[in-house]
């Protein structure tokens, strides 16, 4: 069956994936008056591997989507309790004119469903059980829609739109189909998590972050941390995240999680295997913009498929929400122009804007993640930095990207100055030309496209 003979759906913009990035993009696009088609392969509610913790930066972006976080299912927290060896202390979230002074937890089981409902209420059209199988390219090799299969019967369909936003997670199938491979030198991490029942910790006002992970007692610390995040419903989300170290090879994270839980205080109630409430699940964390460019030939990458997880702390939700809103802004500007060079120029602004906002911060974070894989550095940090309340009051702003760049205090100004001395990255240059199969047969040349640097852009 050729593409032209398949049943079709059409919209101004297609958004693939209804996670935080996709729902944010769909919500803001719909608010701008666009016809949006939001495609999701699963049915809601659904499971998702995540720590379920939301920093004040994420809370800020939820407020921008009009999400009411005062009802059932939301658990507020005041800050982070850092634990390393015998040392334990609490650091409150900083409050500023930009970010609130509290964080939240909520299970991802219904978190994405809640965000998708916000997008639908704004006017987006949501199609669930719709698995996108590849892009549709026009004669010039530009993305003009997607091919998908829908429902239990896997009915094939073509969805057409002048712009497509890929927010399809770490698999990044659309980006891979266009030849956008993961950059191997950028950091990746692995996270595992499991829910546990505990009366002692489920409504604690602080998130527990354990910065002293070791394969064996007395061994070198590992590049990562463990967490216990209270959900307020009798459960906690327990997990750990480790930066992948090519020199050390793969690690058995399931056994490491159990060994770490055996070291937690008995009063927490997490040592008993019977406290587990569900299976152990794991996922990869694509960090530090490890897939580039973020725009090519009518396709924008948002969230995990663009490697937008923070290399500082493995946090992905706020940057997914932020990238979705940014993609909506750029696409709105582009669609106000006639199809052709002027629209393309507007779309090519997206990768520059992504890097202008967080490029320096992520570049510095990539260096930080690399240092953590060195045993001597990790040991020094676990013995000195993570055991110092004064140092961690500064570091929490850097780790969670919570500085105020307008009306900040001394700590904000110092951290912002540190980030500003990092050279500004620029979008990846035009890559080698590749041959990409076009829907319905044939092929089209597919070269990543990025805008030429405007005067002064490299130094911003």
């Amino acid at each position: 069956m050729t593409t032209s003979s398949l049943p079709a759906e059409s919209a101004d913009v297609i958004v693939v994936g209804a996670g935080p990035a996709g729902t944010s993009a769909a919500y803001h696009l719909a608010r701008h008056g666009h016809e949006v088609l939001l495609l999701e392969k699963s049915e809601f509610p659904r499971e998702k591997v995540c720590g379920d913790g939301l920093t004040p930066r994420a809370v800020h972006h939820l407020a921008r989507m009009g999400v009411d976080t005062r009802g059932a299912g939301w658990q507020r927290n005041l800050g982070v309790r850092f634990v390393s060896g015998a040392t334990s202390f609490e650091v409150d979230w900083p409050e500023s004119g930009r970010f609130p002074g509290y964080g939240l937890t909520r299970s991802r089981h219904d978190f994405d469903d809640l965000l998708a409902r916000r997008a639908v209420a704004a006017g987006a059209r949501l199609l669930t059980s719709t698995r996108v199988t590849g892009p549709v390219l026009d004669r010039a090799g530009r993305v003009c829609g997607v091919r998908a299969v829908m429902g239990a019967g896997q009915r094939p369909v073509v969805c057409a739109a002048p712009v497509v936003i890929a927010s399809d997670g770490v698999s990044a199938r659309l980006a891979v189909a266009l030849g956008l491979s993961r950059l191997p030198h950028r950091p990746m991490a692995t996270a595992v998590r499991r829910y546990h029942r505990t009366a002692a910790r489920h409504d604690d006002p602080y998130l527990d972050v354990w910065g002293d992970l070791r394969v064996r007692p007395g061994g070198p610390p590992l590049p990562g941390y463990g967490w216990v995040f209270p959900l307020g419903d009798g459960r906690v989300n327990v997990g750990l995240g480790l930066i992948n170290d090519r020199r050390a090879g793969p690690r058995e994270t399931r056994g490491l999680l159990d060994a770490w839980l055996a070291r937690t205080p008995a009063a927490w109630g997490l040592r008993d295997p019977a406290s587990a409430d569900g299976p152990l699940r794991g996922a990869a964390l694509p960090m530090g913009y490890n897939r580039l460019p973020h725009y090519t030939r009518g396709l924008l990458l948002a969230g995990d498929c663009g490697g937008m997880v923070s290399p500082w702390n493995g946090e992905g939700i706020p940057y997914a929400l932020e990238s979705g809103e940014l993609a909506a802004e750029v696409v709105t500007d582009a669609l106000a122009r006639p199809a052709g060079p002027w629209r393309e120029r507007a779309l090519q602004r997206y990768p520059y804007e992504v890097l202008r906002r967080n490029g320096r911060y992520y570049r510095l974070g990539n260096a930080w993640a690399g240092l953590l894989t060195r045993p001597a550095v990790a040991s020094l940090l676990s013995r000195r930095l993570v055991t110092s309340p004064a140092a961690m009051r500064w570091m929490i702003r850097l780790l969670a990207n919570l500085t105020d760049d307008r009306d900040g205090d001394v700590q904000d100004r110092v951290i912002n100055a540190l980030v500003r001395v990092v050279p500004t990255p620029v979008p990846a240059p035009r890559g080698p030309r590749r041959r990409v199969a076009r829907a319905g047969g044939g092929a089209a040349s597919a070269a990543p496209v990025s805008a030429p640097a405007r005067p002064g852009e490299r130094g911003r």
Side-chain angles (χ1 to χ4, degrees):
M1 181 181 292
T2 64
T3 299
S4 59
S5 65
L6 292 174
E9 298 274 354
S10 63
D12 296 332
V13 187
I14 293 171
V15 181
V16 180
T23 51
S24 173
Y27 169 83
H28 290 289
L29 282 164
R31 292 271 292 177
H32 284 299
H34 297 295
E35 184 179 355
V36 184
L37 192 58
L38 178 59
L39 307 179
E40 167 58 39
K41 65 181 180 181
S42 304
E43 288 287 339
F44 289 117
R46 57 162 166 73
E47 278 290 349
K48 189 76 172 181
V49 177
C50 185
D52 298 340
L54 302 168
T55 64
R57 190 178 187 91
V59 177
H60 165 76
H61 287 290
L62 291 177
R64 292 183 62 81
M65 289 183 66
V67 176
D68 184 359
T69 60
R70 296 169 298 179
W74 298 99
Q75 175 75 3
R76 284 200 181 194
N77 55 76
L78 302 177
V80 178
R81 180 182 296 109
F82 291 99
V83 182
S84 183
T87 303
S88 173
F89 57 87
E90 296 157 356
V91 177
D92 288 350
W93 296 118
E95 184 162 7
S96 67
R98 187 179 181 193
F99 300 115
Y102 65 91
L104 296 166
T105 54
R106 188 181 183 101
S107 170
R108 283 294 294 274
H109 179 69
D110 65 352
F111 177 76
D112 292 1
D113 184 24
L114 185 151
L115 297 184
R117 291 175 185 271
R118 290 296 302 159
V120 170
R125 201 153 47 108
L126 172 66
L127 298 181
T128 57
S129 295
T130 302
R131 180 172 58 87
V132 171
T133 58
V136 175
L137 307 182
D138 63 17
R139 293 184 179 276
R142 181 183 178 82
V143 177
C144 59
V146 298
R147 288 174 283 110
V149 291
M150 300 177 61
Q154 298 288 279
R155 177 174 66 94
V157 65
V158 168
C159 303
V163 181
V164 175
I165 298 174
S167 54
D168 48 353
V170 65
S171 64
R173 289 186 176 88
L174 283 177
V176 171
L178 293 184
L180 303 184
S181 302
R182 184 173 65 85
L183 302 176
H185 60 283
R186 298 288 172 90
M188 283 283 292
T190 300
V192 295
R193 70 100 173 102
R194 185 168 57 209
Y195 293 110
H196 284 252
R197 292 279 173 185
T198 167
R201 309 301 289 181
H202 80 99
D203 60 351
D204 192 278
Y206 287 89
L207 307 177
D208 282 290
V209 170
W210 193 298
D212 186 23
L213 296 178
R214 302 172 190 270
V215 174
R216 62 185 185 281
L222 298 175
Y225 64 90
W227 69 77
V228 180
F229 292 170
L231 296 176
D233 60 358
R235 299 179 303 159
V236 291
N237 182 311
V238 173
L240 57 85
L242 292 175
I243 301 171
N244 298 342
D245 184 0
R246 291 187 295 272
R247 294 168 299 182
R251 295 188 177 91
E252 211 289 294
T253 50
R254 178 187 295 268
L256 183 59
L257 177 66
D258 292 337
W260 167 58
L261 289 178
R263 296 168 53 201
T264 59
W268 290 15
L270 302 177
R271 297 181 182 180
D272 184 359
S275 69
D277 185 33
L280 181 71
R281 299 181 185 273
L285 301 180
M287 303 192 299
Y289 297 150
N290 71 353
R291 194 180 303 277
L292 297 173
H294 288 131
Y295 170 75
T296 182
R297 293 176 294 128
L299 182 74
L300 295 81
L301 309 186
D304 286 7
C305 75
M308 294 182 177
V309 174
S310 170
W312 287 96
N313 63 358
E315 183 182 24
I317 290 177
Y319 303 101
L321 295 170
E322 184 176 322
S323 66
E325 182 176 0
L326 173 59
E329 292 175 6
V330 171
V331 169
T332 295
D333 182 35
L335 292 181
R337 309 177 186 207
W342 284 107
R343 178 179 291 180
E344 180 66 18
R345 185 175 181 86
L347 290 170
Q348 288 178 355
R349 184 171 66 87
Y350 177 68
Y352 285 91
E353 192 64 21
V354 168
L355 294 181
R356 185 188 70 81
R357 295 188 179 192
N358 288 314
R360 288 184 172 111
Y361 176 74
Y362 270 44
R363 174 174 275 190
L364 191 62
N366 286 341
W368 163 265
L371 286 174
L372 289 180
T373 63
R374 300 179 181 275
V377 175
S379 179
L380 178 65
L381 292 176
S382 67
R383 287 186 288 106
R384 300 294 184 185
L385 184 64
V386 186
T387 58
S388 169
M392 294 312 296
R393 278 193 289 270
W394 284 71
M395 282 299 296
I396 196 171
R397 302 188 188 209
L398 182 59
L399 293 171
N401 201 7
L402 295 178
T403 58
D404 191 334
D405 54 4
R406 294 183 179 177
D407 303 312
D409 57 18
V410 173
Q411 293 181 8
D412 288 340
R413 290 194 292 271
V414 171
I415 293 171
N416 289 336
L418 171 65
V419 173
R420 278 195 295 269
V421 301
V422 177
T424 306
V426 295
R430 182 184 294 271
R433 298 184 70 83
R434 299 179 176 90
R435 303 294 291 179
V436 177
R438 184 186 300 161
S445 67
V449 177
S450 58
R454 295 187 290 273
E457 188 136 29
R458 288 181 179 269
R460 286 191 303 183

